[in-house]
Amino acid sequence: MPKPTSTPLISAVKLTCIREERLLFDELSLDIHPGDIVQVEGPNGSGKTSLLRILSGLSQPYDGIVNFKNQKINRCREEFQQNLLYLGHLAGVKGEMTAEENLKFNLALHGSCDNNSSVIDSATKNEQNTLAYLAKVNLSGFEDSLASHLSAGQHRRIALSRLYQSNAPIWILDEPFTAIDKQGVASLEALFTGHAQRGGCVILTTHQDLISINPDQIKKITLDYSYA
Amino acid sequence: MTLKAQSQQMTEQPIDKANTDRVKQLSYRRAFMLVLKRDLTIAMRHKDDIINPLLFFVIIITLFPLGIGPEAQTLSRIAPGIIWVAALLATLLSLDRLFKSDHLDGSLEQMLLSPHPIFVLVLAKIFAHWLITGLPLILIAPLLAVLLHLDENSYTALLLTLLLGTPVLSLLGAVGVALTVGIKKGGVLLSLLVLPLYIPVLIFATSAIDTAALGLPYSGQLAIIAALFFGSLTLAPFAVGAAIKVSTN
Amino acid sequence: MWKFLHPYANPETTYHFTNKLLPWLTALAALFLSIGLVWALLFAPADYQQGDSFRIFYVHVPAASLSMGIYVSMAIAALCSLVWQLKLADASAAAMAPVGAAFTAIALITGAAWGKPMWGTWWIWDARLTSELILLFLYLGVIALHNAFEDKNLAGKAAGILTLVGVINIPIIKYSVDWWNTLHQGSTVSKLGKPSMSLDMLWPFIFCFIGFALLAGVIICLRFRNEILARNSIRPWVRQLVEKQLA
């Protein structure tokens, strides 16, 4: 395969990860370029989540470096985080707030509001946008329900609805399909393909195969560091 | 570990630049207000969070006359200490909520990953915590002072010390919670970490109230509590930020 | 300028260095402690007011100073670990905490034992004793926090942050307790407020002080070695070491 010439969005150099005195992976290096869809595979407890958290800067590796565009992520944290969308095991949805409030907060927290237009203008625009994003994940009609009244799958949908809006090129998703139905999975897969085509990259873990994405397009990383 | 390099290069529109410019405009103040508003909304929909520590505060204070005896003279002498110790304990009890639920549902890691510096978000959360727990304590304190026959000259001093001192409790407490939020049984540990740090506030606040009862000026003690407040206001958010990074690791 | 320190960021080098250091340190500690204690307890003159009970001073004061000194060293190690990400600094702070707590406890117990003949009671809320008690709480907090984390690296970082918060607070607590004490009790009998110590009391004191400091060094060194081994248990050099021991 021809090696892409662009600078990698994320590159990891010789990552070593130890959890509770167990070596999960050792000297793991990888480059992730624009357009890549990377699936991290491995049995439970093999360190998939740890790898994703290290790549997103949430955890520190025991040894090794993570670079964003050839710069250490610790050195360009703010820029890196503007370019990153990470969704972990936990949806980050507050039960005390409605679906719409949750999404609005998440969008605003990650800096996605249009300040160019006047305040009122952008407020109404945001309102319409939020509703539109919720509709995309099949949550129309639920926007005013408290999240505590919604199911686990719906929580995850609220979190995932950020993907439809996101401009961040790097998506790191830990088990995004958990509790999502078939239809939802298909539309997420379409979303990933589109994102990759626009020059973004997706790094995800999942136990199921990605069906509608061309297998040639998926890079696989297998973590299975069972050592005696 | 194998890496099957199979990728298609299709760059239709670069999507990173536009995003960067937009985010820059979201200032510290907006981030602060955003988190503050969110925490207050949540608290308002969960009113027991506000009421329970307050009830705890009231109950502790009613226990003392029952344990010590109802003589007005004794009570009025120990009133400043009792009110302040009860305030410390009530704050301690309410601290757990500061980061716990956010940690459990993953909001905390999203905050860490947001482009905003974590200390701004943390400061907003601490301020919300003070509004929810510290402020009601101050409002109800005069009533309890009546129950304990606090000297009439001391009321202003009591309110002023609580006003300056309770934010210090929230700020220092936040460091302790941030350190213990990832631990399963962090509650008892929290009191061991936090209570020794509360000692200076306790000493100067009760002394200010005692001094006021004698009709003497107590601005010195107030100034020291104010210094503690500004000191913890500047340093605590950074310690909390660092601690949260460790706890969510 | 600090280049000569760089090899010691490597756990293996440091481990072997402590191996070489330990016998010397132990011998020196034994020498100073035996001379100091025998001199202090048997030959030094008794105090003209307090009689022989004064001799507890030779243990109390070194323990009290070391309890604070070790906390400050822990804070320096914590700072190094947070700023330069030195894993060994974490290990050294973890090694120091229980030793510091033990010296704090010794200072408290000897203080109380000294208080009995002096004040007629085991405990008075003397400013120094109170500060020492609070210092013990701070130590216990650091140790408890360290034990609460399963991952040693995280434990080190969390305990480090707490140590730094504590070290900023110690002067404030000390000052506030001193102030509180004068406010409530007038001036207490100051134990160390004597104008000067006679030389035949000072020399044994110096020996005792250095001896206890060296003893603390020996224990910390031993614990430090264990911490290094525990944190690097998956490294080949540790495995080789264990195999060599077993063979």
Side-chain angles (χ1 to χ4, degrees):
Chain A
M1 282 296 117
K3 219 177 155 52
T5 46
S6 59
T7 47
L9 280 171
I10 294 190
S11 57
V13 186
K14 291 190 167 180
L15 291 182
T16 302
C17 174
I18 297 174
R19 279 287 176 273
E20 266 105 55
E21 295 171 12
R22 216 161 55 84
L23 186 65
L24 291 180
F25 43 84
D26 198 10
E27 311 231 321
L28 172 68
S29 297
L30 51 95
D31 285 338
I32 293 159
H33 293 270
D36 285 356
I37 296 180
V38 180
Q39 186 181 2
V40 183
E41 290 182 319
N44 289 335
S46 59
K48 299 189 292 291
T49 298
S50 298
L51 176 61
L52 293 199
R53 290 179 68 89
I54 288 172
L55 289 180
S56 66
L58 273 175
S59 297
Q60 302 300 316
Y62 182 82
D63 213 353
I65 328 168
V66 179
N67 291 323
F68 167 64
K69 293 185 180 168
N70 294 333
Q71 237 186 329
K72 280 188 190 175
I73 54 169
N74 295 341
R75 305 266 154 170
C76 55
R77 185 159 285 278
E78 196 183 335
E79 199 198 341
F80 173 61
Q81 293 187 345
Q82 284 167 11
N83 287 285
L84 169 73
L85 191 158
Y86 169 89
L87 292 179
H89 274 298
L90 303 161
V93 170
K94 300 303 288 184
E96 295 91 343
M97 299 202 294
T98 66
E100 192 187 346
E101 285 169 332
N102 267 305
L103 178 59
K104 262 192 191 162
F105 173 77
N106 276 333
L107 294 183
L109 182 69
H110 292 87
S112 321
C113 40
D114 225 334
N115 290 12
N116 299 332
S117 37
S118 73
V119 180
I120 303 167
D121 210 36
S122 77
T124 48
K125 205 173 150 200
N126 272 345
E127 187 103 353
Q128 287 164 356
N129 283 346
T130 345
L131 293 180
Y133 298 134
L134 285 173
K136 286 206 171 152
V137 289
N138 270 339
L139 280 176
S140 6
F142 290 104
E143 52 284 294
D144 289 331
S145 323
L146 285 184
S148 55
H149 299 164
L150 299 178
S151 73
Q154 284 168 319
H155 278 197
R156 189 145 277 274
R157 281 165 186 275
I158 297 176
L160 287 169
S161 61
R162 258 176 66 204
L163 294 176
Y164 288 92
Q165 179 276 340
S166 168
N167 282 319
I170 304 170
W171 289 1
I172 298 184
L173 311 170
D174 197 354
E175 300 286 350
F177 301 138
T178 313
I180 298 288
D181 53 32
K182 261 187 201 161
Q183 217 184 345
V185 172
S187 70
L188 280 175
E189 285 181 0
L191 189 65
F192 296 162
T193 322
H195 183 65
Q197 278 170 356
R198 280 187 294 136
C201 69
V202 184
I203 307 164
L204 75 158
T205 61
T206 169
H207 283 292
Q208 58 206 82
D209 286 326
L210 299 166
I211 310 155
S212 57
I213 302 177
N214 181 1
D216 290 344
Q217 210 183 342
I218 305 171
K219 279 184 175 184
K220 285 195 177 175
I221 298 176
T222 312
L223 293 180
D224 193 4
Y225 209 85
S226 45
Y227 81 111
Chain B
M1 251 152 285
T2 48
L3 238 177
K4 275 193 239 159
Q6 303 248 306
S7 63
Q8 282 171 301
Q9 255 333 90
M10 278 205 245
T11 328
E12 284 175 25
Q13 45 194 158
I15 53 177
D16 32 344
K17 197 64 204 142
N19 191 36
T20 316
D21 293 344
R22 257 199 238 167
V23 175
K24 284 267 156 72
Q25 293 168 359
L26 197 82
S27 64
Y28 286 3
R29 194 180 58 81
R30 287 191 59 168
F32 182 87
M33 293 311 290
L34 184 72
V35 175
L36 179 65
K37 205 178 129 209
R38 163 184 179 271
D39 272 27
L40 291 180
T41 314
I42 292 172
M44 280 306 158
R45 292 182 189 168
H46 231 287
K47 291 210 180 56
D48 4 344
D49 283 3
I50 307 178
I51 295 165
N52 289 350
L54 209 56
L55 278 179
F56 176 79
F57 184 55
V58 175
I59 289 174
I60 284 202
I61 283 179
T62 44
L63 286 182
F64 275 90
L66 296 174
I68 291 168
E71 297 86 11
Q73 224 181 350
T74 324
L75 286 180
S76 77
R77 219 190 64 68
I78 56 172
I82 295 176
I83 294 178
W84 258 95
V85 170
L88 296 192
L89 295 178
T91 311
L92 190 70
L93 196 74
S94 65
L95 276 175
D96 206 31
R97 224 178 2 263
L98 188 51
F99 298 122
K100 195 91 195 177
S101 73
D102 281 348
H103 178 254
L104 289 179
D105 65 21
S107 318
L108 207 54
E109 59 187 30
Q110 287 299 334
M111 286 189 193
L112 271 180
L113 287 175
S114 82
H116 313 290
I118 186 69
F119 72 85
V120 176
L121 308 179
V122 155
L123 199 60
K125 287 190 73 68
I126 298 172
F127 184 54
H129 175 262
W130 179 77
L131 285 179
I132 297 161
T133 60
L135 203 56
L137 282 189
I138 299 174
L139 296 179
I140 206 169
L143 186 70
L144 297 169
V146 172
L147 292 182
L148 293 176
H149 304 285
L150 186 75
D151 195 282
E152 276 173 28
N153 296 326
S154 309
Y155 276 78
T156 332
L158 175 68
L159 290 180
L160 286 175
T161 54
L162 282 174
L163 196 63
L164 282 172
T166 44
V168 183
L169 304 186
S170 292
L171 284 160
L172 290 178
V175 181
V177 195
L179 285 171
T180 53
V181 74
I183 300 167
K184 279 191 190 96
K185 286 174 187 163
V188 187
L189 184 57
L190 177 66
S191 49
L192 181 60
L193 304 191
V194 166
L195 284 179
L197 304 179
Y198 283 174
I199 290 169
V201 185
L202 175 69
I203 289 177
F204 288 110
T206 49
S207 142
I209 303 171
D210 281 338
T211 317
L214 299 173
L216 299 171
Y218 52 90
S219 52
Q221 286 94 321
L222 275 189
I224 291 174
I225 303 175
L228 292 175
F229 169 58
F230 286 110
S232 48
L233 184 67
T234 40
L235 295 178
F238 294 98
V240 174
I244 286 181
K245 277 181 196 154
V246 173
S247 284
T248 49
N249 207 321
Chain C
M1 179 184 177
W2 298 101
K3 270 267 156 64
F4 75 96
L5 278 175
H6 286 186
Y8 295 106
N10 176 356
E12 193 177 354
T13 324
T14 314
Y15 179 82
H16 292 303
F17 174 69
T18 55
N19 258 352
K20 277 182 217 146
L21 185 70
L22 254 176
W24 293 99
L25 214 55
T26 319
L28 274 177
L31 183 74
F32 271 90
L33 262 188
S34 49
I35 295 178
L37 283 178
V38 169
W39 192 350
L41 298 182
L42 299 178
F43 300 110
D47 187 74
Y48 76 102
Q49 272 182 324
Q50 301 171 30
D52 278 334
S53 67
F54 152 81
R55 292 184 197 277
I56 208 165
F57 155 93
Y58 292 113
V59 180
H60 175 76
V61 175
S65 328
L66 282 173
S67 67
M68 292 183 209
I70 292 175
Y71 199 94
V72 174
S73 325
M74 261 168 63
I76 294 169
L79 191 71
C80 293
S81 130
L82 288 177
V83 175
W84 293 291
Q85 309 281 327
L86 286 175
K87 294 190 181 78
L88 278 180
D90 266 350
S92 70
M96 280 186 250
V99 183
F103 274 107
T104 317
I106 292 173
L108 273 174
I109 294 165
T110 52
W114 194 3
K116 184 67 181 160
M118 266 180 76
W119 302 313
T121 167
W122 290 107
W123 182 263
I124 65 160
W125 289 93
D126 165 72
R128 284 175 215 274
L129 279 181
T130 313
S131 305
E132 200 71 17
L133 182 66
I134 296 166
L135 183 64
L136 181 65
F137 293 151
L138 291 176
Y139 266 120
L140 294 180
V142 171
I143 295 170
L145 187 66
H146 202 283
N147 292 341
F149 281 87
E150 282 175 22
D151 188 298
K152 284 247 177 192
N153 273 319
L154 290 184
K157 278 183 191 159
I161 294 170
L162 184 67
T163 315
L164 286 177
V165 172
V167 89
I168 295 172
N169 267 280
I170 283 178
I172 302 173
I173 294 175
K174 178 103 184 78
Y175 167 72
S176 61
V177 168
D178 283 352
W179 186 81
W180 160 83
N181 197 248
T182 51
L183 192 74
H184 286 275
Q185 300 199 334
S187 59
T188 40
V189 193
S190 176
K191 287 184 290 194
L192 286 176
K194 297 191 192 74
S196 66
M197 218 188 308
S198 75
L199 275 182
D200 41 0
M201 286 180 177
L202 185 66
W203 277 111
F205 172 71
I206 289 174
F207 268 87
C208 279
F209 191 91
I210 297 175
F212 276 112
L214 286 169
L215 178 66
V218 170
I219 304 172
I220 288 170
C221 211
L222 280 169
R223 290 185 46 82
F224 183 46
R225 272 160 31 111
N226 286 349
E227 289 285 337
I228 294 179
L229 289 184
R231 279 157 203 248
N232 293 283
S233 53
I234 58 159
R235 295 289 169 202
W237 68 268
V238 178
R239 301 184 157 228
Q240 282 165 13
L241 208 70
V242 175
E243 277 157 21
K244 219 188 282 172
Q245 293 273 321
L246 289 177

